[in-house]
Amino acid sequence: MELHDVWFVLIAVLWIGYFFLEGFDFGVGILTKLLARDRTERRVLINTIGPVWDGNEVWLLTAGGATFAAFPEWYATLFSGFYLPLLIILVCLIIRGVAFEYRAKRPEEKWQTNWEHAIFWTSLIPALLWGVAFGNIVHGVKIDKNFEYVGTFWDLLNPYAILGGLVTLTLFTFHGAVFSSLKTVGDIRVRARKLALTLGLVTAVLALGFLIWTQIDSGDGWSLIAMIVAVVALVGAIGAIKVGREGWSFALSGITIASAVAMLFLSLFPDVMPSSLNPDWSLTVSNASSSPYTLKIMTWCAGIATPIVLLYQSWTYWVFRKRIGTQHIADAAH
């Protein structure tokens, strides 16, 4: 296996980690409007991700940086062709971070309500657009012989990509509902379980259609295995939440996300951005990669830094592992 193949796998792992962690993060943000009944319950939900949301975004920064360094042609074509949706995602992530930090800085109801609206929308929009973006990457876009995107923004809003966006939106919200049931106590936990069950069924219908479409369009034997794992894990997650096994349900919903993202990358390889105009104009792991020397240095750096980041994030989740409820919010206010 060549180093550019190794880095394609590593970038896939980074995206899997990002969607696994930021997936429930986005889901909880969306649930601040769908699940919480009052300001106290919204505080409970926000507090479940308060210590970890910023650490989850490290995976996105690393994935973007790794793509820039390992596959500069891929990075250039991707960020120029998908400029508007990626800019919208970036703005949402900036506003979202500010909302988490500023929401409790002033006691006025209007101030806090406005930031809560911001948390909801800046969680929902990226959850939708990430699916649209990856749907286009896998399905293929208009790339010319100079490896430049020559389509328009509206070309990105095709049926396959929109279905991909709906899948990530519902899957992340389901993942967030399961996480909320795992991290809370009392009535909000019960309602999170019920909502997760409904969301899981909707997600299953959309995801099954999207995964089958992907397999027929560009899949192979390995992607078929990943698809089967994703479907089985999603069914298991729904069954586990139905009987109140939140821990198992969260693990299985995470496996669903990991397997689904793995399927997309398996369907993509050896391309990194297929051309819908001419297959010969597609960006591949070989024609889009950096030099072997650059990839070698990157491999050494990743081997040293990655374990440190994993240990730190694992420690963070361990420290803030306990459940919380509305009674904890009242104690804190007192």
Side-chain angles (χ1 to χ4, degrees):
M1 181 180 287
E2 300 289 338
L3 275 179
H4 52 63
D5 297 329
V6 172
W7 272 97
F8 179 84
V9 173
L10 291 176
I11 288 172
V13 170
L14 290 171
W15 281 109
I16 288 172
Y18 174 67
F19 286 138
F20 177 89
L21 296 173
E22 194 82 322
F24 72 76
D25 198 322
F26 286 142
V28 171
I30 295 169
L31 291 174
T32 57
K33 295 296 184 183
L34 300 184
L35 177 62
R37 291 177 173 174
D38 53 36
R39 175 155 290 109
T40 302
E41 290 191 350
R42 280 192 286 276
R43 285 186 62 188
V44 170
L45 291 177
I46 292 172
N47 286 0
T48 62
I49 59 173
V52 298
W53 68 266
D54 48 355
N56 294 343
E57 293 186 356
V58 170
W59 291 79
L60 172 62
L61 298 175
T62 308
T67 303
F68 172 77
F71 299 100
E73 287 283 356
W74 183 13
Y75 183 93
T77 304
L78 176 64
F79 278 79
S80 59
F82 293 21
Y83 178 80
L84 182 56
L86 292 178
L87 177 63
I88 293 172
I89 291 174
L90 178 60
V91 171
C92 284
L93 294 180
I94 293 172
I95 295 175
R96 189 168 183 263
V98 173
F100 281 128
E101 297 296 333
Y102 275 43
R103 177 190 167 278
K105 296 298 184 184
R106 289 171 57 178
E108 292 88 345
E109 181 177 350
K110 185 177 180 180
W111 171 272
Q112 296 190 2
T113 299
N114 288 338
W115 286 119
E116 288 165 1
H117 286 317
I119 290 172
F120 170 76
W121 287 109
T122 57
S123 298
L124 185 148
I125 293 172
L128 176 68
L129 290 183
W130 278 128
V132 173
F134 270 84
N136 278 289
I137 291 173
V138 174
H139 196 57
V141 292
K142 294 180 179 179
I143 298 176
D144 65 11
K145 61 182 179 180
N146 297 317
F147 302 134
E148 295 180 359
Y149 179 72
V150 293
T152 66
F153 170 75
W154 302 110
D155 292 325
L156 302 178
L157 301 180
N158 55 79
Y160 176 81
I162 292 174
L163 178 57
L166 293 175
V167 170
T168 52
L169 176 60
T170 54
L171 181 56
F172 290 171
T173 309
F174 168 69
H175 196 41
V178 174
F179 179 78
S180 299
S181 69
L182 180 64
K183 287 288 292 180
T184 58
V185 294
D187 182 59
I188 192 170
R189 175 188 178 189
V190 176
R191 285 187 282 113
R193 273 206 314 246
K194 291 180 179 179
L195 182 58
L197 183 59
T198 302
L199 289 168
L201 295 175
V202 175
T203 301
V205 174
L206 294 173
L208 186 61
F210 179 74
L211 295 178
I212 291 175
W213 191 345
T214 302
Q215 181 63 27
I216 293 173
D217 188 50
S218 56
D220 57 15
W222 289 107
S223 63
L224 178 60
I225 293 173
M227 185 188 81
I228 293 172
V229 173
V231 172
V232 171
L234 180 56
V235 172
I238 296 170
I241 199 65
K242 185 176 182 180
V243 297
R245 300 298 297 271
E246 296 107 334
W248 279 103
S249 183
F250 181 72
L252 288 168
S253 66
I255 292 173
T256 301
I257 293 174
S259 301
V261 177
M263 181 192 179
L264 295 181
F265 276 91
L266 288 168
S267 300
L268 192 59
F269 186 81
D271 293 336
V272 292
M273 280 193 77
S275 172
S276 60
L277 300 178
N278 188 332
D280 294 334
W281 298 343
S282 298
L283 287 167
T284 67
V285 291
S286 56
N287 66 22
S289 68
S290 295
S291 67
Y293 182 72
T294 300
L295 296 177
K296 185 177 180 180
I297 293 179
M298 288 176 60
T299 303
W300 279 104
C301 293
I304 295 171
T306 302
I308 297 173
V309 174
L310 292 176
L311 285 172
Y312 169 76
Q313 280 210 298
S314 300
W315 176 80
T316 303
Y317 277 94
W318 175 257
V319 170
F320 296 100
R321 67 189 182 277
K322 292 185 178 180
R323 295 177 182 267
I324 62 173
T326 54
Q327 67 272 25
H328 300 108
I329 299 298
D331 290 342
H334 177 72

